Structures are given as structure tokens and as C-alpha cells.
Amino acid sequence: MSKKKDRSESEEIRDLKRQLRQKELELKKEKMRADFYQTMVDVAEEQLGIDIRKKVGTKP
């Protein structure tokens, strides 16, 4: 019974490590997407000479 318990615990640890790696990859991907968006807005504002981002305190 102890071996079965150890095996299930090790399987659970392995699954948790796999899930952690997956979440880390998702986070990295999301950070890259956010950086790309930020850069795209910066370039567009510079090239077009307009403000794209909404200013704090302005009414829609």
C-alpha cells in the first residue's frame, strides 16, 4: 500500500510540475503579446503623430 501511495504522490507531483511548466509558457507568451502590443502602439503614435492610448481622467 505504501508503494501505491508513493507512486500516486509522485504522479501528482509530476502532473503539477507539468502544469507549472505549461502555465509558465502561457505567461511568457502573454508577456510577449503585451510587449508587442505596447511597441506597436508606440510606433503608431510616433509615425502618425497622434495619441492612441486613452488619457486618465478624460471622458469618452
Side-chain angles (χ1 to χ4, degrees):
M1 183 112 176
S2 177
K3 286 185 180 184
K4 188 174 185 178
K5 184 178 179 185
D6 289 342
R7 184 177 298 252
S8 66
E9 286 179 5
S10 66
E11 287 175 357
E12 184 177 351
I13 290 170
R14 197 173 328 129
D15 287 344
L16 290 171
K17 285 181 178 180
R18 181 189 54 76
Q19 289 175 10
L20 178 60
R21 282 192 302 273
Q22 181 65 32
K23 294 297 180 188
E24 287 171 339
L25 287 173
E26 289 174 13
L27 179 60
K28 183 178 179 181
K29 215 172 159 181
E30 183 59 29
K31 284 181 178 180
M32 288 175 60
R33 188 188 73 76
D35 287 344
F36 172 75
Y37 175 79
Q38 183 70 34
T39 301
M40 182 177 66
V41 170
D42 290 342
V43 169
E45 284 183 333
E46 183 180 320
Q47 289 184 353
L48 299 175
I50 60 172
D51 291 332
I52 295 174
R53 291 179 196 85
K54 182 177 178 182
K55 303 295 183 206
V56 176
T58 60
K59 295 183 180 181

